[in-house]
Amino acid sequence: MRPKNLAKEQAIRTIALQIIAEEGLENLSMQKLAKAAGISPRTIYIKYENKEDLLIKLYIEEVLGDYEKALLENFHSEMDFAEGIKKIWLNSFRYLSANRHAFALILYGKSSPLLNRAYQQKNIAEGDYFKPIRSFLELNKVRGIITDFPHDVYRALLFSPLFDLVTEYFDHMDRPRQIITEQTLASCCEAVIKGMLI
Amino acid sequence: MRPKNLAKEQAIRTIALQIIAEEGLENLSMQKLAKAAGISPRTIYIKYENKEDLLIKLYIEEVLGDYEKALLENFHSEMDFAEGIKKIWLNSFRYLSANRHAFALILYGKSSPLLNRAYQQKNIAEGDYFKPIRSFLELNKVRGIITDFPHDVYRALLFSPLFDLVTEYFDHMDRPRQIITEQTLASCCEAVIKGMLI
DNA sequence: TTATTAAGTAAATGTTTATTTACTTAATAA
DNA sequence: TTATTAAGTAAATAAACATTTACTTAATAA
């Protein structure tokens, strides 16, 4: 039996993310992807059932999976609160700024009904969101270190300003002056920490 | 000369937003839109040059224009800081939760390169973002009430957790239990205020 | 060596796409 | 009343779309 060419599978993923980041999800077509990856359209269908399957697997398994791994590096539920939050922010920023094409698909995950639905289903199956972060917050809540908010509020405070600044970071990179730095990010992180502390 | 039927123009906008919210921007086609609006495809081209023009005008002029108006209702640059922020949050929440189809396009504004570019160009032409909010923040900064952050950080803290919670609010409405309330939002708003105060 | 089998290709499929053509309608201004 | 004109329609166009068909290739196992 002829073995799979893993470089081709990788090319499909890489080029798909590139097209999504540069031209938008609404301009990704199977033929364009195949041509840009230097393969036949049929080859995409060896691994993926159809276009929706490709997008969902790319989003859930590849992109979110990788991001989750990077996010939690050297993070532990028992860390000091401020240290833990700073670790998450720095891990996120490092990963997302080094993977701007992946970041583009993460952003689509918030707007596209297809990807959004896939994410909800994953959460129903695997639990709401990154477990170590959930228990970290729970721990600091019961210890009386942070205010008792619903988890949605913790998540909103913790991730959304960070994502917003990463977007801004890329926008500025494409223009003359670059305003957002790791230091800007750190100061925003401090504000978030302050807002959560009792 | 035959006069324009304004109801048809309105239908194009309303139905376009509905399709984007329910099926995604990537599944909006001119023919689907025309059929759903009960008009001929040609009629869309009376007002809009092409599909991109329709999307950009819908986003920049209709949706963002309306949101900006709603946002600033009864808001003044000279307001007390906490009062001002709460006003913005409540105005936003009221508008966005009453206009979920518009909100869907606002979310695409953050992911779609087409809409994102249009937004940048609007900002270059008209100034970075909502002017009264900008001067409100500037005023509170020079008065020593809030920490001196770059404006991108203010914006990230002020708007992105709010948007995140509105998304969550809609998600929960589609499922059995509704968790996010105006009160949840208010508690997140308090955390944001706390994080910004000196 | 050769039969087997999945990987992979090029080209074709039928459908959907954005946009246009050729025409009709409904109002106004003369 | 009627000529004019933009609004509007239905149907057509050509390109692009997702997916499949029919075939070839490259490895393994016998």
Side-chain angles (χ1 to χ4, degrees), chain B residues 18-191:
Chain B
Q18 190 188 332
I19 293 172
I20 291 165
E22 289 171 359
E23 303 177 45
L25 187 58
E26 58 277 27
N27 291 309
L28 174 72
S29 85
M30 299 301 260
Q31 298 187 108
K32 191 191 276 184
L33 170 56
K35 195 167 192 180
I39 55 166
S40 158
R42 184 71 183 78
T43 306
I44 303 170
Y45 291 87
I46 294 172
K47 175 127 200 217
Y48 304 102
E49 242 181 71
N50 50 42
K51 193 184 177 184
E52 292 202 347
D53 185 48
L54 164 67
L55 291 173
I56 289 171
K57 285 194 173 132
L58 206 56
Y59 176 54
I60 300 288
E61 292 172 18
E62 300 300 323
V63 168
L64 285 187
D66 267 24
Y67 171 54
E68 189 166 355
K69 236 180 284 165
L71 188 74
L72 297 174
E73 208 157 283
N74 299 316
F75 175 85
H76 311 285
S77 304
E78 304 79 19
M79 285 176 102
D80 167 73
F81 181 70
E83 290 310 305
I85 301 292
K86 284 178 196 163
K87 176 71 73 188
I88 290 167
W89 273 57
L90 198 57
N91 281 347
S92 279
F93 177 68
R94 294 256 164 91
Y95 176 80
L96 297 174
S97 58
N99 297 276
R100 59 188 303 180
H101 293 171
F103 182 59
L105 185 56
I106 291 177
L107 289 182
Y108 268 109
K110 297 178 189 303
S111 42
S112 155
L114 175 75
L115 299 181
N116 208 45
R117 242 178 282 127
Y119 183 69
Q120 311 279 10
Q121 280 165 16
K122 186 209 159 207
N123 281 348
I124 289 164
E126 296 178 23
D128 205 341
Y129 69 112
F130 312 138
K131 278 171 210 138
I133 296 177
R134 194 172 249 284
S135 36
F136 169 75
L137 292 165
E138 201 58 46
L139 204 62
N140 281 279
K141 187 171 88 182
V142 299
R143 280 180 185 161
I145 289 166
I146 58 172
T147 309
D148 183 0
F149 292 131
H151 265 284
D152 289 318
V153 171
Y154 291 139
R155 197 183 18 68
L157 290 169
L158 198 45
F159 291 101
S160 62
L162 169 61
F163 275 44
D164 198 276
L165 289 177
V166 173
T167 307
E168 216 52 50
Y169 174 75
F170 287 137
D171 287 348
H172 286 306
M173 278 175 63
D174 294 335
R175 298 198 244 147
R177 11 152 249 153
Q178 182 189 321
I179 293 168
I180 307 287
T181 60
E182 281 199 22
Q183 207 194 318
T184 315
L185 234 96
S187 71
C188 188
C189 183
E190 294 283 2

Side-chain angles (χ1 to χ4, degrees), chain A residues 94-153:
Chain A
R94 295 256 163 90
Y95 176 81
L96 296 174
S97 58
N99 296 277
R100 57 188 304 179
H101 293 171
F103 182 59
L105 185 57
I106 291 177
L107 288 183
Y108 268 107
K110 298 180 189 301
S111 40
S112 156
L114 175 75
L115 299 181
N116 209 46
R117 241 179 283 127
Y119 183 67
Q120 311 279 10
Q121 280 165 17
K122 185 209 159 209
N123 281 347
I124 288 164
E126 295 180 23
D128 205 340
Y129 69 110
F130 312 139
K131 276 171 211 139
I133 297 178
R134 193 172 251 282
S135 37
F136 169 74
L137 292 166
E138 202 60 46
L139 205 61
N140 281 279
K141 187 170 89 182
V142 299
R143 281 182 185 159
I145 290 167
I146 58 172
T147 308
D148 182 1
F149 293 131
H151 265 285
D152 289 318
V153 171

Side-chain angles (χ1 to χ4, degrees), chain A residues 1-5 8 40 42-43 46:
Chain A
M1 189 185 85
R2 185 175 176 177
K4 251 181 211 181
N5 185 339
K8 279 177 185 173
S40 159
R42 183 71 183 78
T43 306
I46 294 171

